[in-house]
Amino acid sequence: MPTIFGVRLLYRRIAMRRFLSTLWTVLPMIVILVILANRNIGQRLSATNPSIPLVVNTWRFTNATEKAWKVLYEDKGSAIDAVEKGCTVCELLQCDGSVGFGGSPDESGETTLDAMIMDGQTHDVGAVGDLRRVKSAISVARMVMEHTTHTLLVGEQATEFALMMGFQEESLTTNHSKKMHEDWIKNSCQPNYRKNVIPDPTTSCGPYVPASVLTKAKKWLVSKEGKNFNLANHDTIGMVAIDFEGHIACGTSTNGAKYKVPGRVGDSPVPGSGSYVDRHVGGAAATGDGDVMMRFMPALTAVEGMRNGLSPTKAAEMSVLRIATYYPDFMGAVIAVNLNGEHGAACHGIDEFPYSIANPNLQPVTVMVVPCIS
């Protein structure tokens, strides 16, 4: 005679077998439903807000936009991944010669890189400035964000950090950038960014020494800030992305100003200047004369404008006009995006400014062009 304990154990075994049999029957159906749900998530969420997901970036850098859009829409990836991979495309393609290796040599002929990335969910930022001999600036910036409690690393120490993180060390100089530097030397080092020095920086390569107080009245010692940048020297890709979850991120990458003073770090890796996001508001990115623009935190200014009720376009205009009040000759632009997927831009110092965008309503990538504020 089986004991009561034995009967209970038998019933438990029978129940378990029935459960497993049922599970193996329905499990394939569950898997199929999950796959179908994932395939349709984009359409369902886009139906809720047809402007999300979204990626916007400065200039006609459409290859970068396309890559970021693929990460967001097809791969259902995160905004932070989209920004990193989108900007990486520009670094590899050397967009306009102003992003990535082989462009914008400094006075010594070396190409250096600036980049930043910001996660709107955590408000964490990683950035590098004056990065040398490492091509993947935006990815190094992300390593700073994810593997340190710092925000910005610069110069040789940023390179050392990158090598510790597994990045390859290689020259950023190309035949093209070498020729650019040689031609610049032959042209008496024009243009350059020196002022209040001797010899005359408008006709000479130096080496320079500070001018005395008595000689500072000479015409060639007067600063020409705000006139150093144009369409051939506009530098940055700035990107803002919003994913299916509504999470927002931004990033920048550039090789900076042509013929800059060695050691110069521009606005691109500075949070609030090169780009900025707030998970409660939206994001913005800037491009142009970074030495002037970083004094006004244009990306932060645009986000704060949206926080106070301005549309992305009006917020960008406010940011640009604030700079123009002090530097009427400056060249620059700001893109802005709110969490509803509305976007806009404003510019100054050129006739018009193009920016690239992709969202469910604008596929493939669309280039928007705005007239600039005179």
Side-chain angles (χ1 to χ4, degrees), residues 347-362:
C347 50
H348 186 275
I350 50 179
D351 294 331
E352 59 185 24
F353 170 67
Y355 67 97
S356 305
I357 176 171
N359 67 25
N361 291 325
L362 296 171

Side-chain angles (χ1 to χ4, degrees), residues 260-271:
K260 56 187 171 285
V261 177
R264 182 257 192 188
V265 174
D267 65 321
S268 299
V270 178

Side-chain angles (χ1 to χ4, degrees), residues 223-306:
S223 170
K224 294 183 179 180
E225 290 180 270
K227 296 183 179 180
N228 292 323
F229 285 75
N230 51 50
L231 285 175
N233 192 22
H234 58 67
D235 65 344
T236 311
I237 178 173
M239 179 178 286
V240 181
I242 304 175
D243 61 29
F244 276 122
E245 300 297 324
H247 298 164
I248 189 168
C250 67
T252 64
S253 186
T254 180
N255 52 35
K258 292 178 182 177
Y259 319 121
K260 56 187 171 285
V261 177
R264 182 257 192 188
V265 174
D267 65 321
S268 299
V270 178
S273 187
S275 64
Y276 188 80
V277 289
D278 188 305
R279 67 183 182 184
H280 302 295
V281 182
T287 181
D289 187 341
D291 293 297
V292 166
M293 296 178 77
M294 74 166 70
R295 301 167 191 174
F296 297 86
M297 292 290 161
L300 173 62
T301 298
V303 171
E304 291 306 303
M306 291 187 290

Side-chain angles (χ1 to χ4, degrees), residues 20-312:
L20 291 175
S21 177
T22 303
L23 178 62
W24 286 115
T25 301
V26 301
L27 185 59
M29 299 175 62
I30 294 174
V31 171
I32 291 172
L33 289 174
V34 169
I35 292 173
L36 291 174
N38 284 335
R39 285 180 177 176
N40 293 327
I41 187 172
Q43 288 79 0
R44 290 188 283 105
L45 290 177
S46 294
T48 304
N49 185 343
S51 297
I52 302 296
L54 169 144
V55 55
V56 179
N57 59 261
T58 54
W59 306 106
R60 297 179 187 272
F61 298 154
T62 56
N63 288 327
T65 322
E66 288 172 359
K67 179 61 178 179
W69 178 246
K70 180 181 182 300
V71 172
L72 290 176
Y73 195 72
E74 296 181 20
D75 301 340
K76 308 300 184 291
S78 67
I80 200 76
D81 286 341
V83 168
E84 180 189 7
K85 293 179 181 179
C87 289
T88 295
V89 167
C90 242
E91 292 174 344
L92 295 174
L93 295 179
Q94 304 164 283
C95 289
D96 275 7
S98 60
V99 181
F101 68 100
S104 301
D106 63 18
E107 286 185 344
S108 66
E110 184 176 11
T111 295
T112 59
L113 307 178
D114 298 341
M116 70 156 283
I117 194 166
M118 183 172 186
D119 186 341
Q121 290 306 109
T122 62
H123 229 64
D124 288 342
V125 180
V128 289
D130 192 28
L131 179 68
R132 305 175 180 189
R133 304 183 306 281
V134 176
K135 289 183 177 180
S136 306
I138 188 76
S139 294
V140 178
R142 185 169 181 176
M143 286 288 186
V144 174
M145 180 179 71
E146 294 182 343
H147 297 286
T148 80
T149 57
H150 299 313
T151 294
L152 173 64
L153 299 180
V154 298
E156 288 292 344
Q157 286 74 22
T159 301
E160 291 178 9
F161 170 80
L163 299 182
M164 284 190 290
M165 294 294 102
F167 291 89
Q168 180 180 352
E169 184 173 14
E170 53 191 319
S171 175
L172 303 183
T173 299
T174 62
N175 290 335
H176 175 68
S177 64
K178 185 177 180 181
K179 180 67 163 51
M180 287 174 61
H181 183 253
E182 291 172 349
D183 290 344
W184 180 72
I185 295 292
K186 292 176 183 177
N187 193 39
S188 300
C189 300
Q190 301 303 309
N192 63 58
Y193 300 88
R194 303 284 183 164
K195 68 176 185 178
N196 299 331
V197 293
I198 297 174
D200 182 352
T202 66
T203 60
S204 173
C205 288
Y208 306 105
V209 295
S212 68
V213 175
L214 294 178
T215 62
K216 286 185 178 181
K218 290 185 178 180
K219 183 177 180 180
W220 52 264
L221 292 171
V222 176
S223 170
K224 294 183 179 180
E225 290 180 270
K227 296 183 179 180
N228 292 323
F229 285 75
N230 51 50
L231 285 175
N233 192 22
H234 58 67
D235 65 344
T236 311
I237 178 173
M239 179 178 286
V240 181
I242 304 175
D243 61 29
F244 276 122
E245 300 297 324
H247 298 164
I248 189 168
C250 67
T252 64
S253 186
T254 180
N255 52 35
K258 292 178 182 177
Y259 319 121
K260 56 187 171 285
V261 177
R264 182 257 192 188
V265 174
D267 65 321
S268 299
V270 178
S273 187
S275 64
Y276 188 80
V277 289
D278 188 305
R279 67 183 182 184
H280 302 295
V281 182
T287 181
D289 187 341
D291 293 297
V292 166
M293 296 178 77
M294 74 166 70
R295 301 167 191 174
F296 297 86
M297 292 290 161
L300 173 62
T301 298
V303 171
E304 291 306 303
M306 291 187 290
R307 189 192 306 276
N308 291 321
L310 294 180
S311 69

